[in-house]
Amino acid sequence: MPEKRHLKISPSILTSDFTRLGETIDTLCSSRCDYIHLDVMDGVFVPNISYGFPVIRDIAKKATKPLDVHLMIVDPDRYISVLRDASPEYVSVHYEACTHLNRSLQNIRANGMKAGVVLNPHTPVTSLEYIAEYCDLVVLMSVNPGFGGQSFIENTFRKVTQTKELLLRTGSKAMVEVDGGVNLNNAGALRDAGADIVVTGNAVFASGNPADTIELFKSV
Ligand code: DX5
Ligand code: ZN
C-alpha cells in the first residue's frame, strides 16, 4: 500500500480568545502544528475586520512556528514591506483583490517571503494558468472569506484535484492549502484529493483542547 502523505496543519487564531493571545501562541508553538495562520481583514474586501500588523509583529516576536499570513484586504501591496519585519513564511493575497497580481507576487518574493495566491470559492482554477509559476502557495477558500466557523463548500474537493493537475502541468512547485470549514471528518479526504496544508480554526479552538485536536489532525 502506498504510504499516506502527511498533511500539514495551519491553525487559524481567528476564533481563539484574544484576551489570551500569548497563551494561545505558546500552545500552538508547543503543539505539532506546522504553521500559524493569521487572517487579516479590512472590512472592505470582506465584511469583517480582524487584526492588523502591530498584532502580527508581536506574534512574530513570540512564535517559534512559521507564520502563514492570509491578507483579505484590498490593494495588499501597500503592506508587503511592513510584513517583512515579521518574517512570515507565506504571505497570501487574493486573486480578486489584486489588479496586478503578477507584480504583487513578485513583490512578496522580492521582500524575502514566499508568495501565495488565494482563490475565492467562485473563482475558477483556470485563473491560475499564467500565475502558477510565480506562486509558492495556492490557497483554495472552502468558505466565503470573512468569518471563522462556517460550513465547508463541498465542491472544493474537485477544485483541489484540478489545482494539483494545473500545477503539475505548468511545472509550478506551489503547495496547495485549503482554508475554511476544515474538520476531522473532511481533512483526510482533502489530503487524498491533493491538499498539502489545511487551515483549521473553529475545529481546533472550539474543541476545548487545541493541542489534542491538532494531534488528531496530524494522525488523520
Ligand atoms: C476565513 C478565514 C479562515 C478561517 C478558518 O475568512 O480565512 O482562515 O478563520 O476558520 P474555520 O476553520 O473556522 O473555518
Ligand atoms: Zn484564512
Side-chain angles (χ1 to χ4, degrees):
M1 219 166 78
E3 211 183 306
K4 246 184 4 184
R5 280 193 316 120
H6 283 290
L7 197 55
K8 293 192 168 173
I9 311 298
S10 189
S12 162
I13 62 167
L14 186 64
T15 52
S16 71
D17 177 352
F18 287 143
T19 65
R20 299 169 60 194
L21 185 55
E23 282 168 59
T24 299
I25 300 303
D26 285 341
T27 302
L28 294 179
C29 290
S30 53
S31 81
R32 284 212 296 142
C33 76
D34 297 277
Y35 305 98
I36 299 177
H37 185 86
L38 301 176
D39 288 304
V40 181
M41 303 179 182
D42 65 356
V44 179
F45 181 67
V46 288
N48 195 9
I49 297 176
S50 54
Y51 50 83
F53 303 105
V55 175
I56 292 182
R57 187 195 53 216
D58 287 354
I59 291 174
K61 282 188 212 145
K62 196 172 173 58
T64 52
K65 298 274 185 181
L67 304 181
D68 165 29
V69 178
H70 176 190
L71 297 178
M72 284 162 272
I73 64 177
V74 295
D75 198 6
D77 292 76
R78 292 172 294 164
Y79 299 103
I80 301 306
S81 59
V82 176
L83 268 172
R84 188 179 50 190
D85 295 338
S87 308
E89 178 91 0
Y90 291 111
V91 175
S92 300
V93 295
H94 268 260
Y95 174 87
E96 306 82 7
C98 297
T99 311
H100 303 289
L101 180 60
N102 182 298
R103 180 183 291 148
S104 303
L105 296 175
Q106 294 204 54
N107 186 13
I108 295 170
R109 283 180 167 180
N111 276 280
M113 302 171 288
K114 291 183 182 158
V117 64
V118 193
L119 301 186
N120 270 339
H122 72 280
T123 303
V125 170
T126 50
S127 312
L128 296 167
E129 183 75 34
Y130 297 103
I131 207 72
E133 66 198 274
Y134 298 92
C135 298
D136 301 299
L137 180 70
V138 171
V139 184
L140 300 174
M141 289 309 304
S142 39
V143 298
N144 288 294
F147 304 94
Q150 303 182 78
S151 301
F152 182 84
I153 297 173
E154 292 289 328
N155 64 22
T156 309
F157 289 113
R158 191 153 48 93
K159 237 175 150 176
V160 171
T161 310
Q162 288 174 356
T163 301
K164 272 295 202 200
E165 285 166 5
L166 186 143
L167 294 177
L168 197 65
R169 180 167 55 72
T170 57
S172 169
K173 303 237 177 337
M175 299 282 115
V176 176
E177 179 175 275
V178 176
D179 185 6
V182 176
N183 55 44
L184 287 164
N185 298 321
N186 56 23
L190 285 168
R191 178 206 52 222
D192 295 345
D196 301 295
I197 308 171
V198 289
V199 176
T200 58
N202 207 46
V204 164
F205 289 101
S207 71
N209 192 327
D212 283 359
T213 308
I214 290 167
E215 208 48 46
L216 294 174
F217 270 103
K218 289 300 285 186
S219 55
V220 150

